[in-house]
Amino acid sequence: REACDAPEIGVAAAQVRVQVGHVAPFADTLAGTSVTVRINGAAAIENFRFGDVTPGYVNLGPPGTYRIDIVPTGTQTVA
């Protein structure tokens, strides 16, 4: 085989991204459906209510293990 003079193509490291939608009407009022989405224990999305969808993707970071918890607003209890 002959050597090829094709340029090297760099590949960017993949990033983990998620899009989040609230589709669980678990309360009698819209305000009652408010939750906080935590990623690895830190609040990433607050006051997220039934029917809300992130306008795009939420970047989490490099590939790995992520813990995503849903916590009703005003509590510390993971739903």
Side-chain angles (χ1 to χ4, degrees), residues 45-72:
I45 305 170
E46 296 181 303
N47 198 31
F48 202 60
R49 296 178 181 192
F50 174 70
D52 287 347
V53 177
T54 56
Y57 289 97
V58 176
N59 291 317
L60 300 184
T65 301
Y66 292 87
R67 181 182 174 125
I68 299 174
D69 294 318
I70 310 300
V71 181

Side-chain angles (χ1 to χ4, degrees), residues 2-42:
E2 293 182 30
C4 178
D5 289 331
E8 290 185 24
I9 299 173
V11 177
Q15 294 291 302
V16 176
R17 305 180 313 154
V18 296
Q19 187 166 27
V20 182
H22 189 329
V23 295
F26 58 82
D28 295 334
T29 66
L30 187 59
T33 66
S34 179
V35 297
T36 296
V37 179
R38 291 183 184 164
I39 300 172
N40 290 339

